[in-house]
Amino acid sequence: MAMPRVEIETMIKAAFPDARVEVRALADDGDHYAATVVSSAFKGVSKVKQHQMVYAALKGKMGGDLHALALTTSES
C-alpha cells in the first residue's frame, strides 16, 4: 500500500514541531522517498539515533506502507 508524501511530512512535523522537513519521491510508486529533516531535537544526538527518532515518528509505517526512506538529518 502506498503512502502519500504529505502524510510522511505531517507525521514527522507532528513529532518535531520546529523541524524543517522536505520529502521527495524517488520513484513514482508511493513507496520510495528521500527526506531531509532539520530539527533542534537532534542537538547532541548521534546520526543513528536521529534516524531512529524519525522512524519512530512514522509509527510503524516503515517497512509496511512505506518501503524505503533515505534520510538526511541534522540539528538546527
Side-chain angles (χ1 to χ4, degrees):
M1 180 177 206
M3 187 171 181
R5 179 190 59 78
V6 169
E7 185 177 352
I8 298 167
E9 288 179 357
T10 300
M11 292 178 82
I12 294 171
K13 286 181 181 180
F16 307 100
D18 76 322
R20 188 172 72 243
V21 180
E22 178 189 335
V23 179
R24 58 186 199 287
L26 295 177
D28 221 5
D29 59 6
D31 286 333
H32 297 81
Y33 293 95
T36 300
V37 183
V38 180
S39 173
S40 61
F42 299 144
K43 185 174 183 176
V45 177
S46 72
K47 287 289 182 186
V48 170
K49 181 65 177 165
Q50 291 175 18
H51 288 208
Q52 290 171 340
M53 292 166 67
V54 173
Y55 292 140
L58 296 171
K59 301 180 182 184
K61 300 275 187 179
M62 248 343 273
D65 292 343
L66 180 58
H67 178 70
L69 181 65
L71 276 176
T72 302
T73 56
S74 62
E75 65 181 78
S76 57

